[in-house]
Amino acid sequence: MFVNELREGVCKEWTQELKTMAGFQEPPIKKAKNDRSVDLNANTSQAPTQPSPSQAANGHLKARDSSASFQNLKHKNPHKRSPQKAKNPEHLRNLLSQRHALPIFPARARLLEEFKKHQTVIVIGETGSGKTTQIPQYIHEERLDRKGGICITQPRRVAAISIAKRVAEEMDTNLGGLVGYSVRFEEAVCPATKVKYVTDGMLLREAISDPLLSKYSWILLDEAHERTINTDVLFGIVKDAQKTRRSTPGQDPLRLLIMSATMDVDHFQPGRQHPIEMFYAKKQQEDYVMATMTTVFQIHREAPPRHDILLFLTGQEEIDSVTANLRQIAKDGSLAECPRLRVLPMYAALPAHQQLDVFRPTAEGERKVIVSTNIAETSITIPGIRFVIDCGRAKVRTYHPGSGFDALKVRKISQAQAWQRTGRAGREASGNCYRAYTRAEFDAMDVNPTPEILRSNLSSVMLQLLAMGIKNVVTFDFIDKPSAEHLEAAMVQLTFLGAVVIKSDCLELTEAGRKMAQFPLEPRYAKVILSGPEHGCTDEVLSIISMLSSESIFVNPAGKKEQAAIARRKFTSVEGDHITLLKVFRAFKAAKKNKMWCHENFLNFRNLMYATEVRKQLVQVCERCGVALTSCQQKTDSVRRCLATGLFTSVAELQLDGKYLTLDTKQEAALHPTSALFGGKPAYVLFTELVLTGKAYMHLNSIVDPQWLHDIAPEYFRKKHVKR
DNA sequence: GAGCACTGC
C-alpha cells in the first residue's frame, strides 16, 4: 500500500461536532439513563445524592466531585500510613473534613430519611461522589444496623479491599473489626463486623447457604450499572429474600440499596478530563480498517510531534497487519517533513516487554501511534494520547445455546464504549476523537453493551438459583430475562449432569446437584470432581480442573518459539491436553513451586500459583461434601474416563473426510493448533470448549474411548449412534 | 496452523 492510495482514501472528510465534549459547565453528553429501568416496587424511591431541586425533579442526580481524594481508589490504596498514625487527632480531623467536602454530604439527612421510609432505594451518583464509602457510615452512625450488618457488593476484588481499608480508616477502627471485607482467598472479618465489603460473587456464594441473607439488615449492590452477571442475579435474590423476610413473622426486614453511576459522568470527571473535539465520518465507510489508516496519516501530516495517536481496532491479526502497513508507509518520502512515526501494537496476547513499549514516552520530534484492541479502553491508560481513532467495533464473546458454541465475532460497540474510547484522548490535555462512522451510525448503536447474563451459558446461574431454593427459574425476577432457549439449554445440561430432575413440570435439585452447587466451578467440572472417588482419581481431576480455572499456563515468547516448543514437549501427553496439564502441575509441585523453574520451562508462574490456590479451595469443598480424595497415580485413562462424566456432551467424532463433527449438535469442528492432539486423528475427542473464530475450534482436548461414553450415558450415546 | 477484553466464586 502506498501513501497516494491513502491520500485519496475514503475517510478524509469529517463532520465536526460537539466542539467541546467535556467542559462540565453542562453535562456534555446527552444520553439515556444508563441503568436499565430497574423494577421499582411500591415502597421504592429514587434518592438524589445532592438535594438540588432541579435535579431532584429529574429523578436522579449527577453529583459533581469537588475533591479528587477518591478518584483512584479503585486502582490503588492511597493510604500507606502506619496504623498508629490513624490515632493522630489531626489526621482524623483531616479525614472528617474530607468526608464533609464530598458531594454526597449535603444529602445525608435526605438520604437517611428515604432509607427509613422505603425498603428499597436507588442511589445514582458518580464515582467520587462518596456513595460507596459514606452511605454505609451514615447508616451505621444512625444505628440503623442494630439488627444486622451492612453488606456492600463490588464487582472487583481490589475495589472491595481498598474501599474497606479507606472506610476503616475514616471510622478510626482496625480493618477486620467493625469494618471488614471478604473476597475469594482473602478475608478480614470478625463477629463484630458491621460494615462488610464483598465481591458480588462472594455474596452469591453466601446466599447458597443462607438464602435469606439473615446476617444482614442492609444489602447495598454497588456499581449496578456494570450489569455483571453476579450483580444481576443478586438483584433478584435480594428482592426475593426481602419479600420472604417481610412475610415471615419474627424476621427483621431486609433493606436494599441499588447504587449506580451513569456512564457519562463516571467516565468524564472534572479534573480528569479535558475537552475533546469530535469528528464523525461524513459517509458510511465500507472498509473501516482502510478508513482508520487514512486518518492516521491525515493527523500525522498536520499535528505537532509528540501528539500521539491511539487507534482502536478489533483483534490481533488486524492490528499486526495495520502496524506493518503503517510502518511501511511511514517510510514514504512525502512524509519526510513529518515527525518520525513509531507504530506499536497493543493486545493482551502480546509478550509483556512489548506491552511495556507503549508506555515509553515519545522522544523529541517523534510521534507514537498505538494500534490497540479494547484493552486500552479501560484496562490500561497510555500517557500522551491526543488523538483517538475509533473503528466502532470490537470482538465480543457470545454463547449460542443451540450449537453450544462460544462465538467470538466482530460487532458494533455501544455508545457507552464509544465514549469510553473517546475519553482516552483527553486525559492530559485537550484532544481529538475521530470516529470512522457517521453520526447516524453512532445514534443507531446500542446505548449500553449487552448485559453479561444475556451472553452467557446459564447452567451455573441456574444451579445456584435452585440451590437457593428458587423453584421456578423461569419466573425469576431477572432485570433482563434471558431467552427461553438459553434457559432451556441450561436446564438440559443440568439434567444430563444428573444435577436436577423434572418433577411435575418443576426442576428439582438432586443430591448430587446440591453438592455440585457447593463448588465454585461450572457444573460440568463439579460433576467431574464428584465422580472422582468412583474412578479413584479425585486428586488428579482436582489438579486438572484447577488448571482449567486458571489463565494460560504456557508462555510463548516471540523469538524463543523453538525453545518454548522443546520445553513444552517434555510435558505433552499423547492422551491429550488434560493429562498434559496434569503433568505440568505435578512437575511444578515436584519443583517446589519454583519461579525460576517456571521461567526455564516457559510456564506462567503466577497462573500456576493461582491454580494451586483454587485447588486448595476445592479440596476444602470436597472435605465438606464428603468426596474422598483418592489418587490413581499413573492410571491416566481413569482420569480421562472421569473427565468424560462431566464433559460427555462435548465429544466430537472423526468423519471419513478427516473432519470432526460434534456429537451433540453435529457441528463441524477442528482441533485447535495449540492442542496436544493437533495433527493426530483420534476417532473420538473430548473437548473443553468450542470457540467459533475463523472456524469452530475445539480447545483443550483428550482422547476418549467410545465404550466409556456408553457406560456414562447409554441412552444419550445410543441416540447418537456411537459405535463401541 | 492460530490467540477480543475483562471479572468473579
Side-chain angles (χ1 to χ4, degrees), chain A residues 100-147:
Chain A
H100 289 177
L102 286 168
I104 197 173
F105 183 67
R108 186 182 186 275
R110 167 84 196 279
L111 283 167
L112 285 166
E113 197 182 306
E114 298 289 342
F115 295 167
K116 286 174 193 164
K117 265 195 282 190
H118 306 287
Q119 293 216 334
T120 302
V121 177
I122 298 167
V123 181
I124 298 174
E126 70 173 282
T127 314
S129 64
K131 60 188 188 316
T132 308
T133 54
Q134 302 306 302
I135 288 176
Q137 296 188 63
Y138 297 167
I139 294 169
H140 179 72
E141 286 158 5
E142 285 289 296
R143 299 284 176 264
L144 298 177
D145 59 350
R146 267 168 304 183
K147 295 190 169 166

Side-chain angles (χ1 to χ4, degrees), chain A residues 432-450:
Chain A
N432 300 272
C433 176
Y434 288 80
R435 293 183 170 165
Y437 42 92
T438 63
R439 178 65 211 224
E441 283 179 275
F442 172 79
D443 290 335
M445 286 173 170
D446 293 337
V447 174
N448 289 305
T450 309

Side-chain angles (χ1 to χ4, degrees), chain A residues 24 27 31 65 77 182 205 227-228 231 233 369 385 421 427 458-459 483 514 522 569 590 605 639 664 700-701:
Chain A
F24 287 100
K31 282 196 298 162
D65 188 1
N77 171 20
S182 175
R205 283 272 129 209
R227 303 295 310 275
T228 69
T231 304
V233 173
V369 180
I385 300 297
R421 290 179 175 189
R427 305 286 298 198
L458 296 173
S459 56
S483 71
R514 193 161 298 284
E522 282 177 46
R569 234 166 277 151
F605 173 74
V639 177
D664 197 38
L700 297 161
N701 317 297

